[in-house]
């Protein structure tokens, strides 16, 4: 039941949960008392943007970064951002790793790297190796986690397809075997019936007993053939 719910409504639950967390923080925490009227709609929009993260992961990340810069610009709290505008960016970074490949993934890597550099510059005191490692872990970690999960998911799908293909091949092989056996049974039975019928027709007038034996053989052969056909089918 839980898996079915997550499959049908997982994205909506994620967006609703992040939006709720962001709004609660902004309206309950006194830190954001002066900025909440500006930050609340931005945080809400950033949460809603995540509805596009599977179909358009890279544009979603770019829009989230733009919205984050807007939130930073309107905020009067120094060196502190509400989780309502941070968590959507982290989820968007993860989504780029989890839902892109090829050129889109390479471009996403440069965008994530650029976001790390921008975060270091915005912090001011993190233009050093420690700052790079911190923001690299904070943003690069979800990106790499998304890649790892995508690879695992693709491997599982590949194994499932291979298993289905083997099952279909086994079914086709079994059908071919049954068809061959059925052909052999029918061909043998018809051959015997034809031969016995010819012999019985020739002995019909001269030797009725032989005709009866031929008819008995035809009946027995036909019954055996029907039994074999039922067994196969």
């Amino acid at each position: 039941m839980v898996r079915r719910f997550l499959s049908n409504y997982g994205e909506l639950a994620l967006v609703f949960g992040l939006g709720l967390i962001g709004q609660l923080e902004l309206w309950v925490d006194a830190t954001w008392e002066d900025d909440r009227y500006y930050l609340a709609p931005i945080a809400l929009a950033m949460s809603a943007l995540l509805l596009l993260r599977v179909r358009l992961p890279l544009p979603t990340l770019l829009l989230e970064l733009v919205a984050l810069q807007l939130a930073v610009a309107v905020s009067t709290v120094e060196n502190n951002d509400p989780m309502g505008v941070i968590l959507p960016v982290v989820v968007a970074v993860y989504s780029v790793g989890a839902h892109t490949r090829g050129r889109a993934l390479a471009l996403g890597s440069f965008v994530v790297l650029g976001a790390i550099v921008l975060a270091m510059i915005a912090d001011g005191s993190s233009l050093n190796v420690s700052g790079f490692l911190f923001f690299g872990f904070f943003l690069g970690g979800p990106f790499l986690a998304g890649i790892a999960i995508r690879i695992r998911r693709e491997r599982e799908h590949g194994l499932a397809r291979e298993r289905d293909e083997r099952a279909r091949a086994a079914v086709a092989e079994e059908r071919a075997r049954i068809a061959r056996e059925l052909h052999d049974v029918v061909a043998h039975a018809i051959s015997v019936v034809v031969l016995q019928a010819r012999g019985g027709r020739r002995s019909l007038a001269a030797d009725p007993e032989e005709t009866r034996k031929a008819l008995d053989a035809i009946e027995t052969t036909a019954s055996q053939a029907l039994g074999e056909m039922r067994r196969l089918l």
Side-chain angles (χ1 to χ4, degrees), residues 21-214:
I21 292 173
Q23 296 303 308
L24 285 176
E25 178 189 18
L26 289 170
W27 293 101
V28 173
D29 191 345
T31 304
W32 312 106
E33 183 175 1
D34 297 332
D35 301 329
R36 60 179 51 139
Y37 294 100
Y38 305 104
L39 292 175
I42 296 176
L44 191 62
M46 292 179 71
S47 298
L49 277 173
L50 293 178
L51 291 173
L52 303 175
R53 71 183 189 92
V54 175
R55 290 177 295 173
L56 301 170
L58 193 54
T60 299
L61 175 58
L62 293 173
L63 291 174
E64 294 286 7
L65 291 174
V66 171
L68 177 61
Q69 293 303 310
L70 179 60
V72 171
V74 301
S75 176
T76 60
V77 181
E78 294 292 335
N79 298 324
N80 191 11
D81 297 313
M83 295 304 295
V85 300
I86 296 297
L87 289 179
V89 174
V90 174
V91 174
V93 169
Y94 163 83
S95 302
V96 170
H99 300 290
T100 60
R101 55 184 56 82
R103 293 181 179 178
L105 180 61
L107 183 58
S109 303
F110 285 109
V111 172
V112 172
L113 181 60
I116 294 172
V117 174
L118 288 176
M120 293 171 60
I121 295 173
D123 186 66
S125 61
S126 299
L127 293 174
N128 49 49
V129 175
S130 297
F132 179 79
L133 292 177
F134 172 77
F135 287 107
F137 175 79
F138 188 74
L139 292 175
F143 179 66
L144 295 177
I147 293 176
I149 290 177
R150 175 178 56 80
I151 292 174
R152 188 185 68 177
R153 184 170 60 242
E154 290 175 348
R155 184 182 296 114
E156 290 175 351
H157 289 169
L159 291 175
R161 285 195 301 269
E162 183 179 351
R163 184 171 61 251
D164 292 341
E165 289 175 359
R166 287 200 301 266
R168 285 194 293 269
V171 170
E173 183 179 354
E174 181 66 12
R175 287 177 176 173
R177 183 190 67 79
I178 291 174
R180 289 193 300 269
E181 291 190 17
L182 187 61
H183 175 271
D184 293 342
V185 168
V186 172
H188 173 73
I190 291 177
S191 298
V192 172
V193 167
V194 170
L195 291 175
Q196 293 294 337
R198 287 176 180 174
R201 185 185 59 187
R202 292 173 182 173
S203 61
L204 180 60
D207 193 350
E209 182 63 23
E210 284 297 323
T211 301
R212 186 184 64 79
K213 291 180 180 181

